[in-house]
Every structure is written in structure tokens, then in C-alpha cells.
Amino acid sequence: MHVRKNDIVKLLAGDHKGATGKVLSVDHGDGRVLVEGVNFVWKHLRRSQQHPHGARIQKEAPVHISKVAVICQSCNKPTRVVMKELEKAGRTRICRKCKQAVTPEG
Ligand SMILES: [Zn+2]
């Protein structure tokens, strides 16, 4: 997976093409990411103690990983990242454009 939690990504396809947001979570199983503020859908809740009449809430829906590009924090552009094995530090991701390591904040 080239996308990690807390990355800033740009949507490349779909209804929200061009939107950017922070990755809230990554689902490694089916290759989807949840991006903050992107791809809102209405969720319909059943009646419950909290919502005696049911409710409609807006919530982010996950988007497929192939539809997002990581934005490099160094050159501030959507980029492809290359996995690189470092001798001691393990694996890191390198921006193809500016060759800087791409690390999520926080
Ligand atoms: Zn870069």
C-alpha cells in the first residue's frame, strides 16, 4: 500500500475528482481509504434509543486506493511514491518528483 494514515491525498477520479483531504484510515483488505471530508454519503440509521425516529447522517465513504494520489509534503504536488529499502531505517517512501522522503505528519 502506498497510502498511509495521515497522508494528504488528492482524488484523481470519481465525483470528487480534484478534492484533497487527510487519510483517516486505510483498509488493507479491500484497498480502500477513508479521506476526511471527501465522498460524503447519507447513512440511514434505524430507530434506536438514541434516535427514536431513525436518522439520516452524512458520513465519509471509503474510496478505492487507485483513485487517490499522495501529495508530497516537500514539493506540494500529487506524486507517485517509490518504495525504497533503507539499510537501517527499514522501508520508506520516496517522492518521484523531488526525491524527498514522503512521511505523514504526526
Ligand atoms: Zn515531492
Side-chain angles (χ1 to χ4, degrees):
M1 293 295 243
H2 62 285
V3 178
R4 289 181 192 171
K5 194 176 169 184
N6 293 327
D7 276 348
I8 305 298
V9 294
K10 182 170 187 150
L11 278 274
L12 301 176
D15 294 343
H16 300 273
K17 191 173 173 178
T20 57
K22 190 166 98 174
V23 175
L24 298 176
S25 66
V26 178
D27 188 330
H28 292 269
D30 53 6
R32 285 168 185 274
V33 292
L34 199 60
V35 184
E36 188 175 46
V38 170
N39 203 25
F40 276 111
V41 292
W42 285 103
K43 292 249 178 186
H44 297 264
L45 301 181
R46 283 171 166 276
R47 284 195 295 273
S48 64
Q49 298 251 307
Q50 248 183 327
H51 304 280
H53 303 287
R56 275 172 94 215
I57 55 164
Q58 274 198 306
K59 206 174 185 308
E60 292 101 339
V63 293
H64 197 258
I65 203 157
S66 66
K67 290 184 179 175
V68 303
V70 178
I71 293 184
C72 171
Q73 304 290 322
S74 303
C75 60
N76 213 23
K77 288 180 189 139
T79 187
R80 284 172 155 259
V81 291
V82 194
M83 295 300 262
K84 190 175 176 184
E85 303 279 343
L86 294 184
E87 282 177 29
K88 283 175 186 164
R91 293 166 88 194
T92 190
R93 298 173 302 163
I94 305 292
C95 170
R96 268 197 199 166
K97 288 177 181 160
C98 66
K99 312 291 183 209
Q100 295 295 307
V102 178
T103 43
E105 342 163 328

